[in-house]
Amino acid sequence: MSRFAVIIPAAGQSTRFGGQQKKPFLPLAGRPIWLRTVELFVTRPDVEQVMLVISPDDREEFQRRFGPNLIFLDIDLVDGGAERFESVANALAKLRDAVTHVAVHDAVRPGATAELIDAVFRRAEQTGGAIPALPVADTLKRVDGDLRITGTVPRQGLWQAQTPQAFRRDWLCDAYARRHTIAEAITDDAQLVEACGHAVSVVSGLVTNFKITTKTDLDLAELLHRATHDLPTEPKPGRPFDDESY
């Protein structure tokens, strides 16, 4: 059986979201978004290690508020870097020996399901690398700096990438070791692995597996979570470490 490590980057500045708190630490149905996301992975029998990557500036407050969560859920806390790729590289340096595959999942993408994760992990085992994605349904326009349309982009064969993105350990570690030698601008882990000569497969993603980028996204995530979970108005007794104020 393959053993997966899951890296969850949460060290970004949340500049597009605004507000005083960073997105991963905002409440979603009474629990922090990062915790909702982590809970997708911590009880899986094929997950050997879960790593949450945060800014060093957040570590003291995070440990104070959520230290018991880290112990209870066996989560490794990793200091992030100035950019996302540096944060993931820091986590890769701390992989446990038993890990055979590595998945990277956005901390603010709590809408994945066990079935979707199953599909991505199994496909990564079969092919070496896999991501969830959705075929582009809307017409795409290319626009210039003055917001004038300069062309229409054919959407045939275009898919919108999601996470978790999962790969063989050696593929991803090698790709990160070589990332500074790659000339093209890299926007996700799959592109980095592809640039190193490996083919990455796609499985069908979910509309609900969207990334929370704006306050509207958070409102939608709240509605979806309450619609798909039998949640009380208050946290259940016995579920430790809920923090509705963060």
Side-chain angles (χ1 to χ4, degrees), residues 24 31-40 69 73 241-242:
R31 292 163 71 78
I33 296 172
W34 75 265
L35 187 54
R36 294 279 181 206
T37 301
V38 163
E39 288 173 338
L40 298 170
N69 293 75
L73 299 175
F241 321 130
D242 287 352

Side-chain angles (χ1 to χ4, degrees), residues 2-245:
S2 299
R3 306 299 298 166
F4 283 81
V6 182
I7 298 171
I8 300 179
Q13 297 302 310
S14 302
T15 53
R16 285 180 290 178
F17 192 89
Q20 295 181 341
Q21 298 186 60
K22 295 181 179 180
K23 289 181 296 183
F25 309 136
L26 291 169
L28 172 61
R31 292 163 71 78
I33 296 172
W34 75 265
L35 187 54
R36 294 279 181 206
T37 301
V38 163
E39 288 173 338
L40 298 170
F41 300 97
V42 291
T43 60
R44 291 183 60 90
D46 53 0
V47 171
E48 172 73 20
Q49 181 180 17
V50 175
M51 288 181 277
L52 183 71
V53 188
I54 66 170
S55 169
D57 295 338
D58 295 330
R59 178 178 275 271
E60 182 177 352
E61 184 174 4
F62 191 91
Q63 288 278 18
R64 178 177 60 81
R65 288 183 175 271
F66 304 120
N69 293 75
L70 303 176
I71 298 171
F72 185 74
L73 299 175
D74 189 25
I75 300 167
D76 295 335
L77 198 62
V78 178
D79 284 339
E83 297 180 352
R84 182 182 182 279
F85 283 105
E86 185 178 344
S87 295
V88 174
N90 290 350
L92 289 173
K94 298 181 181 296
L95 290 175
R96 297 176 186 173
D97 291 342
V99 169
T100 62
H101 292 73
V102 182
V104 184
H105 186 63
D106 298 321
V108 289
R109 205 183 285 267
T113 63
E115 293 76 15
L116 177 65
I117 297 168
D118 286 343
V120 173
F121 281 15
R122 299 295 80 79
R123 189 65 172 159
E125 287 179 313
Q126 295 166 0
T127 67
I131 70 169
L134 293 172
V136 173
D138 296 323
T139 298
L140 299 177
K141 298 293 185 181
R142 183 175 287 108
V143 178
D144 64 17
D146 294 322
L147 300 183
R148 292 177 298 196
I149 295 172
T150 62
T152 299
V153 181
R155 63 176 182 257
Q156 183 178 2
L158 293 181
W159 291 60
Q160 180 181 343
Q162 299 181 333
T163 67
Q165 301 188 355
F167 312 92
R168 283 174 36 171
R169 174 179 180 159
D170 58 336
W171 282 16
L172 191 60
C173 288
D174 175 67
Y176 267 83
R178 297 165 55 188
R179 70 187 186 278
H180 297 300
T181 68
I182 297 172
E184 63 185 291
I186 301 295
T187 58
D188 71 354
D189 299 292
Q191 186 183 5
L192 181 61
V193 171
E194 294 162 36
C196 292
H198 301 293
V200 178
S201 301
V202 165
V203 302
S204 294
L206 294 173
V207 173
T208 56
N209 185 32
F210 59 87
K211 185 176 181 179
I212 296 174
T213 304
T214 66
K215 290 182 173 64
T216 300
D217 294 334
L218 181 57
D219 291 340
L220 179 57
E222 180 90 18
L223 290 172
L224 287 170
H225 192 87
R226 293 196 175 277
T228 55
H229 294 74
D230 183 19
L231 291 176
T233 55
E234 298 293 335
K236 294 181 181 178
R239 294 194 73 175
F241 321 130
D242 287 352
D243 186 342
E244 297 198 29
S245 65

